[in-house]
Amino acid sequence: EFSKHFEQAAGYGWTLPESPTFSWPQLIANKDQEIDRLNGIYLKLLANAGVTLFNGRGRFLDANTVEVDGQVIQAKRILIAVGGRPRTLDIPGAEHAITSDEAFHLPELPKRVLMVGAGYIAVEFAGIFNGLGSDVMLAYRGEKILRGFDGDVQSAVEKALIGRGIGVVYHTTPTSIEKTDHGLQVTFDGSDKTPQVFDAVMMAAGRVPYTWDLGLEAAGVETNEQGAIVVDAYSQTSSPSVYAVGDVTDRVNLTPVALMEGHALADTLFGGMDRPVEHQDIPAAVFSQPPVASVGLTEMEARDQGHRLRLFRSEFTPMKYTLTGGGEKGLMKLVVDADTDRVLGVHVVGPDAPEMVQGFAVAVKAQLTKKDFDRTLGIHPTAAEELVTMRVPIE
């Protein structure tokens, strides 16, 4: 976002003495330093909690035994929390592509970037590279970015990406990647099969559970067709002594959800509680440009569940753009059950959307009504006040 902020500064009376410059090596060095700091904190927390850490790859020998680099460890209960890995395309030259794992380890900022996919990671990294000055193209085999989000959100973000100069191409996927003297030459399927050259090709077409070569068969742990570990509401696998949480179960693949699942399991096993995992009304954010946040049902999900709806939507220019002569439109949308007046979903696109929806997630979780929203005063001037001042439904 800093590149955009520099452009907008003139609207607020600022004159920069010279054109701002960006240093990729400095960003990477600062990122590495912060990760090392955080890793040190986590290691200290583990040590202070009395946790014994074994650095190495673990593999099941049976339902109560794991081997880590030749060392055998036995336990009454075992928790699998190995997460997922980026999905890659099985095409010629795929070894020349990168994933989100390698993106911030590149020696220099690529000038031409192809983003393959259109989910969280693809849209976020398209914005990152674009904001740092790269020429970005996003190729997706489907029909709309951010699958699973509300249709109005998808349209608003798509328009903003294109407005920032990101090429968005649908019904297209690479069929081969060839390394040449001029860069990576990519051939596509679809109507336009003209090869294009990029400096980096990033695979961001989803993630897969990291279950290969864990010895799950030896432990009696079942997986589904996608390789995800099958668990019940208490995160217990088909093997009574083995549990699994997080992306390896492919339920809701978000960091806070994995933390919640682990906490619920600890409370159930060791806290004297009966705490099954709840996956309803989970707030989520996409840190794109502009950012997106959502909690509850989308319009389509609510209709599919049989709700009769009232919809409220507001599109406007966020205040920070009013003096700069440009900027994306913000979007606010409420999905309301027409029979009960309950707010089923809140969807926001625009600056600080995640900060707003974190608070409104409490309201949705508490099953508050549109009348409750209407009785709440808005803080003026904020964008968030739109969520409590929309009075006329669009449907």
Side-chain angles (χ1 to χ4, degrees), residues 28-325:
I28 300 306
N30 292 348
K31 178 268 301 180
D32 289 341
Q33 181 178 352
E34 176 61 10
I35 289 177
D36 288 343
R37 185 187 73 84
L38 290 173
N39 190 54
I41 291 175
Y42 291 135
L43 291 174
K44 187 175 181 180
L45 288 171
L46 290 173
N48 290 342
V51 174
T52 302
L53 180 64
F54 296 88
N55 284 304
R57 181 177 179 81
R59 196 174 191 279
F60 281 93
L61 299 181
D62 59 44
N64 295 99
T65 310
V66 172
E67 182 182 17
V68 182
D69 292 346
Q71 187 166 5
V72 176
I73 305 166
Q74 291 188 314
K76 181 179 179 180
R77 301 182 182 93
I78 298 174
L79 172 63
I80 304 171
V82 296
R85 292 293 183 273
R87 185 194 308 275
T88 57
L89 297 181
D90 184 15
I91 60 174
E95 67 274 11
H96 301 307
I98 63 170
T99 69
S100 55
D101 289 348
E102 298 85 33
F104 285 121
H105 293 284
L106 296 173
E108 59 185 23
L109 176 68
K111 295 300 181 184
R112 299 164 297 179
V113 179
L114 171 65
M115 197 67 54
V116 182
Y120 283 76
I121 295 173
V123 170
E124 290 181 348
F125 270 94
I128 290 170
F129 283 119
N130 171 261
L132 297 180
S134 300
D135 184 12
V136 180
M137 172 179 162
L138 188 150
Y140 180 45
R141 67 179 183 274
E143 297 183 353
K144 209 72 171 176
I145 63 171
L146 295 179
R147 181 170 60 89
F149 278 81
D150 190 89
D152 286 329
V153 169
Q154 293 174 314
S155 297
V157 176
E158 176 192 69
K159 185 176 180 180
L161 293 179
I162 295 172
R164 293 195 178 213
I166 296 173
V168 180
V169 184
Y170 293 116
H171 307 293
T172 299
T173 190
T175 56
S176 69
I177 304 172
E178 181 183 354
K179 191 171 185 179
T180 71
D181 293 339
H182 305 291
L184 300 177
Q185 180 171 286
V186 181
T187 303
F188 299 90
D189 63 3
S191 57
D192 185 3
K193 298 184 179 181
T194 305
Q196 297 189 47
V197 178
F198 302 89
D199 299 305
V201 177
M202 181 171 167
M203 299 290 185
R207 295 173 67 84
V208 292
Y210 193 36
T211 51
W212 52 89
D213 198 31
L214 289 182
L216 298 180
E217 302 84 1
V221 175
E222 294 181 4
T223 58
N224 63 18
E225 296 81 3
Q226 287 73 43
I229 294 177
V230 179
V231 294
D232 64 12
Y234 293 89
S235 297
Q236 188 173 45
T237 72
S238 55
S239 180
S241 62
V242 182
Y243 300 80
V245 298
D247 290 9
V248 75
T249 66
D250 198 24
R251 289 178 282 184
V252 179
N253 297 339
L254 296 170
T255 298
V257 173
L259 293 171
M260 177 268 291
E261 291 170 353
H263 202 167
L265 177 62
D267 286 342
T268 299
L269 294 181
F270 308 110
M273 305 180 195
D274 181 5
R275 188 182 170 192
V277 173
E278 295 184 12
H279 287 123
Q280 296 79 35
D281 297 327
I282 293 173
V286 183
F287 293 93
S288 50
Q289 284 83 44
V292 173
S294 178
V295 61
L297 299 180
T298 67
E299 177 184 344
M300 187 61 68
E301 288 171 340
R303 292 191 189 282
D304 288 344
Q305 292 184 19
H307 293 278
R308 193 169 64 88
L309 300 180
R310 286 190 300 143
L311 302 175
F312 297 81
R313 184 177 63 215
S314 176
E315 296 182 69
F316 57 93
T317 300
M319 281 193 62
K320 67 181 295 184
Y321 299 142
T322 55
L323 299 185
T324 63

